[in-house]
Amino acid sequence: MKLKVRLSILFAVVFAGITLLLNAYVYISYADFRREEFFQRLRIKAVNTLHLLEDLQEIDPEKLRAIGQNTLNPLYEEKIYIFDNQHQLVYSSIDSNHAVSYSERLLHQIEEKQYIEYIDAENQHEQIGIKTKYKGHDYVILASAYDNVGRRKLQNLIYSLLIASFVGIVIGAVTGYIFMQRAFKPIEVLSYNIKSITERNLQQLVPVNPSQNDEITELAYSFNQMLQRLDAAFDSRKAFVRHASHELRTPIARMMSDAEQALNKNLTEQEYKAVLQVLVKDLDQISELINSLLLLSRTAKLERVDGLKPERIDDILFETIDKAIGVRPNLKVSVEFLPQDLENSDLFALSCDKSLISTVFMNMLENAAKYAPDQKVNVYLDEDDEMIYAYFVNGGKTLSPEEQGYLFTPFFRAANSASQVGHGLGLSICNRIARYYGGYVQYSISAEKENQFLVTFSKKIEGKNYYTEI
């Protein structure tokens, strides 16, 4: 069931409920008013009859009964009984041929409470009992009547309210549905425009009316922004595939060419060894590229891992330096600690995956070894209450502002890397790992015109779900 239909039904149900509650209130209020008004009329009629009986004692009761029935606005099925203080019947509004039924218990109850009123459950007659005193005499009056006119009005009110409720509910339901149709029309248009957008035309944006400042317009703006991000992600993914294919195709093509030449020629053993050495070198390059791609894929979506034990960043750094020197014996690394309180065991503690932090440091050290003429890198460690900072400073040609803008883009290689073997993935991997730990990698040119990379990690974040497009 569509949302607009559900909301229309909900609106109709709520409107019907409110209408019925209001009508019920009107009916109950009128029913109470009718009952109270009729009891008042009956009370006045009973008291006036007593006064007339006392003031005209010389008149025969039969004549008084006739006067009461013809001149005092008789009520439907009216019955009035007047008793003296001895409970002797002194007046009855019906003739003496009709038996008068009452109980002593009822008369005593009236004398005790002074006034009672109730509705007979059998015949629905309103009945009252009054204890009163007039001209020095005590009297008990019983009166009953049937509110024929009032009950007919009440019944007519029920019919009128039911008809009005039905008509009102129908009108409300139709009006609500029409209103929902108009309210959801922009959403239907937006849905139609969204369905027309596929992966082939992500540049096609949803039309937006700037003059309308409502939630639908905000949704359309948000959707267009998402389309732009998706389009950029698709372009980035295509560029990634294109660069990866190029990086793989070059060594593979070179290997195929060397292998074909070796097969087509009669080479000596030394020449075959030379060809195999070239093939091994190309295979190493492919293996390095595949490992980098796997690591890049791993860091594309890192899941939060709880319960990691704290690791000291300086210990990881020294272990990584030993590995880097083992690979590049000419690498020279100096480490300097900027904080003064080096006795604190929690100074550089970070809850982290040790292998990820080591990967960052290894990439930084290898970059310095590649691009620094003297293969020397200075490392500075610093920290504060929230962050850990690692500075990697090395000589060599610095980057231009244009190159700095693409520094963390996969497969980007600056002009100073033309003579170096690599694929341009290291800094992108480092930046993703640093961002996973609430930090970043930043490049700058130091005051001494040297390359300076700042790597930061947050002490407050143990790791969070992080995703970035390749």
Side-chain angles (χ1 to χ4, degrees), residues 308 351-353 356-357 433-439 457-458 461-462:
L308 293 174
S351 298
C352 62
D353 185 335
L356 292 178
I357 305 301
I433 295 174
R435 290 176 62 186
Y436 172 70
Y437 285 104
F457 305 104
S458 174
I461 301 177
E462 294 185 2

Side-chain angles (χ1 to χ4, degrees), residues 35-36 39-40 43 115-119 127-129:
R35 183 174 58 254
E36 294 297 329
F39 275 128
Q40 184 178 7
R43 187 164 56 249
Y115 176 78
I116 62 172
E117 61 181 31
Y118 60 95
I119 298 177
Q127 300 188 11
I128 62 171

Side-chain angles (χ1 to χ4, degrees), residues 89-346:
L89 181 65
V90 296
Y91 174 78
S92 172
S93 63
I94 58 178
D95 56 51
S96 57
N97 296 326
H98 292 81
V100 177
S101 61
Y102 62 93
S103 65
E104 287 291 331
R105 180 181 177 183
L106 177 60
L107 297 179
H108 286 297
Q109 184 179 5
I110 295 172
E111 288 178 335
E112 179 182 351
K113 296 184 177 181
Q114 302 295 316
Y115 176 78
I116 62 172
E117 61 181 31
Y118 60 95
I119 298 177
D120 193 300
E122 294 183 3
N123 53 26
Q124 296 298 306
H125 282 58
E126 279 82 357
Q127 300 188 11
I128 62 171
I130 304 173
K131 168 70 182 302
T132 185
K133 190 170 186 178
Y134 188 68
K135 290 188 177 181
H137 299 90
D138 293 328
Y139 295 96
V140 176
I141 306 174
L142 288 177
S144 70
Y146 184 79
D147 189 8
N148 186 43
V149 176
R151 290 181 182 274
R152 285 172 57 190
K153 290 181 179 179
L154 188 61
Q155 189 175 25
N156 183 68
L157 178 63
I158 293 176
Y159 294 147
S160 300
L161 290 176
L162 289 177
I163 294 174
S165 298
F166 176 76
V167 174
I169 291 172
V170 171
I171 294 175
V174 173
T175 304
Y177 182 76
I178 294 174
F179 173 77
M180 292 300 171
Q181 285 274 42
R182 297 190 62 182
F184 277 83
K185 186 65 176 178
I187 298 180
E188 293 176 350
V189 174
L190 178 63
S191 176
Y192 175 80
N193 291 326
I194 290 175
K195 290 177 181 178
S196 65
I197 299 174
T198 65
E199 69 277 3
R200 298 181 182 274
N201 61 341
L202 290 176
Q203 297 82 9
Q204 177 183 334
L205 301 180
V206 174
V208 178
N209 187 357
S211 63
Q212 294 181 349
N213 187 19
D214 54 15
E215 289 78 4
I216 306 299
T217 303
E218 293 180 3
L219 178 61
Y221 275 122
S222 299
F223 185 79
N224 285 339
Q225 293 173 357
M226 183 191 69
L227 282 180
Q228 293 170 348
R229 291 193 296 269
L230 284 176
D231 188 36
F234 271 89
D235 289 343
S236 177
R237 184 63 59 90
K238 291 175 184 177
F240 172 80
V241 173
R242 184 171 62 253
H243 289 304
S245 301
H246 174 73
E247 293 291 335
L248 287 170
R249 184 172 60 247
T250 300
I252 291 175
R254 189 167 53 241
M255 291 172 61
M256 290 181 63
S257 175
D258 292 340
E260 288 176 354
Q261 290 181 7
L263 290 173
N264 294 331
K265 295 179 180 180
N266 294 322
L267 303 178
T268 64
E269 181 179 350
Q270 294 298 326
E271 290 174 333
Y272 275 119
K273 286 183 178 180
V275 171
L276 291 176
Q277 289 175 352
V278 173
L279 293 178
V280 169
K281 183 178 180 180
D282 289 336
L283 286 174
D284 286 340
Q285 185 178 353
I286 293 175
S287 177
E288 181 183 352
L289 175 60
I290 292 175
N291 289 333
S292 297
L293 291 175
L294 290 175
L295 184 57
L296 189 66
S297 175
R298 179 189 174 192
T299 58
K301 184 172 174 56
L302 292 172
E303 299 293 339
R304 179 182 178 88
V305 178
D306 296 322
L308 293 174
K309 66 177 183 178
E311 301 282 354
R312 283 187 63 96
I313 294 297
D314 52 340
D315 291 341
I316 299 175
L317 176 62
F318 284 118
E319 291 178 8
T320 308
I321 291 174
D322 292 339
K323 294 179 183 178
I325 293 176
V327 176
R328 297 178 179 271
N330 295 327
L331 178 64
K332 296 181 285 294
V333 182
S334 67
V335 180
E336 182 178 346
F337 294 90
L338 299 182
Q340 301 298 322
D341 184 18
L342 296 179
E343 300 298 327
N344 187 355
S345 60
D346 296 330

